[in-house]
Amino acid sequence: MGQDQREKVATSLPGAVTEAVGAFLAPVDAELERLYPGDPGTRQPVHTVYVPADAFDAGTVRSWGDCALAALDEHAPDAASFAAVLGLPDELAGPVYDRVRAKLEREPVEDLRVDFEDGYGPRPDAEEDGAAARAARLIAGAFEDGTAAPYMGIRMKCMEASVRDRGVRTLDVFLTGLMEAGGLPDGLVLTLPKVTYPEQVTAMVRLLAEFEKARGLEPGRIGFEIQIETSQAILAADGTATVARMIQASEGRATGLHYGTFDYSACLGVSAAHQASDHPAADHAKAIMQVAAAGTGVRLSDGSTNVLPVGPTEKVHDAWRLHYGLTRRALARAYYQGWDMHPAHIPTRYAAVFAFYREGFAQAAARLSRYAGRAPGDVLDEPATAKALSGHLLRGLDCGALDVAEVARETGLTRPELEAFAAPRRGDLTAPDR
């Protein structure tokens, strides 16, 4: 058959059938768009650092970086010694070590939460009022003078009856302080801990809506993270996945689900010696969180390790190996964020993150380049894979594991093109126009 000869096409269904199907599914289309808008495409920090409210000051971010650098200087003063501790291959030893040190000097903390919950505990009301006002003043000042971490905010007390009023007041004092200091910064993040029932999420939504109304803010301006620390947050009494209902109850305000390693483990009766983020109970909870959050735009964060890199070098190295291994395990399971409890955890956080993205860089870049150019290769990639490949590269760029120039060189793609692959339109099976 010649190329100019058109294939004869015949159909049997009248157009009214297609129209009827479209009308029938229109509510489903709207529901999909509302409930599953996809990833927001913004930067996700690789970790969250929690600092008790009474310990937080204007120099906290820089002091954490300085302490982390001092730990490296004392316990792994060069690339070879650091690589030996973590088992890094020779080709990654220098690049990872150099990037870790540069990161600690430039941006040691990506996300910081001033803690008014477990790390702060019960205090006289006047003391907590003052600490909340002080946190607002210091955070506003840090964003103003450029010393802030990219993301900063508070973890308030939870919505349980015994501390509810105190948590609400602290939130109000903090947000009001920010408004009085010039407005809410773009990097503001709030964390609601120990959420057990969806109604507690609804209560938080109502509080924030009332604050927005009182201060003349755009409705929906303030979002928050939900911290998963109880068994009831995973499985409700009626057998439903509570965490999925929590996301819906947030009315689009939920920005993250954070796993609370120790509270959740204790809730299930796991003994202290076995409370860790790689325990089977933790994997079960996080798998349900992951499925519940998929496609909703709500990001996931793993928990922490409470084994601190302190003491003699041998103990520090043991703690580093543990933290590095847990971080790499989380990354492989698509938990791209976690908690860090001590400044000396930060070197291994960044080492794990940088090694992860650099190890996968060459293959991801080559596969995405072939896919974008519709060139043949030894792997048959699909749009979903292209989304994952571009997401890997974008996250590597955001945290500093990769450089813009090397990504452009190896893929032939600009950042907007990478972002188009990472967030295709629903049902779009084609590569973005180039």
Side-chain angles (χ1 to χ4, degrees):
M1 182 181 296
Q3 289 184 344
D4 294 334
Q5 184 174 348
R6 294 184 180 276
E7 189 74 40
K8 183 179 179 180
V9 177
T11 63
S12 301
L13 297 174
V17 172
T18 302
E19 293 175 5
V21 169
F24 173 72
L25 290 178
V28 173
D29 296 338
E31 191 83 338
L32 281 170
E33 291 297 329
R34 182 178 71 85
L35 296 179
Y36 301 101
D39 189 86
T42 54
R43 176 182 179 181
Q44 180 180 10
V46 303
H47 70 168
T48 300
V49 163
Y50 280 75
V51 179
D54 56 331
F56 175 66
D57 60 36
T60 293
V61 171
R62 185 61 264 155
S63 69
W64 272 61
D66 291 342
C67 289
L69 284 165
L72 272 183
D73 290 339
E74 181 176 357
H75 303 292
D78 53 46
S81 58
F82 197 45
V85 174
L86 304 181
L88 292 172
D90 291 344
E91 63 271 17
L92 284 179
V96 166
Y97 189 77
D98 291 344
R99 285 173 186 271
V100 167
R101 292 197 70 96
K103 180 77 168 180
L104 295 176
E105 292 167 356
R106 181 185 74 254
E107 188 182 75
V109 175
E110 292 199 357
D111 185 27
L112 186 145
R113 210 69 71 250
V114 181
D115 190 18
F116 286 89
E117 205 230 357
D118 285 350
Y120 185 70
R123 305 289 179 102
D125 283 339
E127 182 178 344
E128 184 157 340
D129 280 353
R134 177 171 172 271
R137 174 176 56 80
L138 292 175
I139 288 175
F143 277 109
E144 178 69 24
D145 65 22
T147 61
Y151 300 93
M152 297 183 77
I154 65 168
R155 178 169 72 167
M156 59 188 279
K157 289 179 170 64
C158 70
M159 288 292 179
E160 293 176 358
S162 61
V163 295
R164 182 185 304 140
D165 290 350
R166 181 62 260 180
V168 171
R169 181 172 175 84
T170 295
L171 177 67
D172 188 7
V173 170
F174 175 70
L175 291 177
T176 300
L178 288 178
M179 292 298 297
E180 294 295 319
L184 304 182
D186 290 338
L188 174 66
V189 188
L190 305 173
T191 303
L192 179 65
K194 293 182 176 61
V195 184
T196 302
Y197 279 75
E199 288 81 0
Q200 294 167 329
V201 174
T202 298
M204 183 69 165
V205 169
R206 291 178 180 175
L207 283 173
L208 296 177
E210 288 296 328
F211 185 88
E212 290 162 351
K213 181 179 177 181
R215 301 298 306 212
L217 296 171
E218 179 184 357
R221 164 66 179 84
I222 310 173
F224 61 98
E225 301 167 332
I226 300 170
Q227 198 154 15
I228 304 300
E229 301 177 87
T230 67
S231 61
Q232 296 90 344
I234 296 297
L235 189 68
D238 62 1
T240 59
T242 316
V243 64
R245 293 165 54 204
M246 289 176 179
I247 292 173
Q248 292 187 40
S250 76
E251 300 179 18
R253 291 181 186 266
T255 59
L257 296 177
H258 284 225
Y259 176 68
T261 304
F262 305 104
D263 283 273
Y264 187 85
S265 298
C267 182
L268 268 63
V270 178
S271 64
H274 298 283
Q275 291 178 356
S277 62
D278 59 351
H279 190 280
D283 285 341
H284 171 261
K286 289 183 286 187
I288 293 176
M289 291 166 59
Q290 194 167 44
V291 173
T296 65
V298 177
R299 266 80 176 265
L300 301 169
S301 176
D302 200 357
S304 61
T305 174
N306 59 0
V307 179
L308 304 183
V310 297
T313 295
E314 182 179 359
K315 288 193 67 175
V316 171
H317 287 180
D318 287 343
W320 273 352
R321 278 188 286 267
L322 174 65
H323 185 241
Y324 178 87
L326 290 173
T327 303
R328 288 299 304 261
R329 184 180 190 273
L331 290 167
R333 286 159 175 76
Y335 271 74
Y336 300 113
Q337 185 175 353
W339 298 6
D340 287 327
M341 308 295 286
H342 190 276
H345 278 140
I346 302 182
T348 39
R349 169 69 60 181
Y350 289 132
V353 169
F354 294 166
F356 176 77
Y357 289 115
R358 294 206 67 80
E359 283 176 1
F361 170 53
Q363 184 184 64
R367 287 174 64 179
L368 189 59
S369 178
R370 287 196 298 268
Y371 179 85
R374 296 178 172 83
D378 57 353
V379 179
L380 183 60
D381 286 323
E382 298 181 351
T385 311
K387 178 179 179 179
L389 293 169
S390 56
H392 182 94
L393 299 176
L394 287 167
R395 286 189 294 272
L397 286 169
D398 285 341
C399 70
L402 305 174
D403 297 327
V404 172
E406 64 179 344
V407 172
R409 182 177 66 249
E410 296 301 321
T411 63
L413 300 171
T414 64
R415 176 153 190 142
E417 289 171 330
L418 290 174
E419 291 172 346
F421 279 116
R425 297 182 299 274
R426 188 180 300 282
D428 188 358
L429 300 180
T430 62
D433 294 333
R434 299 194 59 211

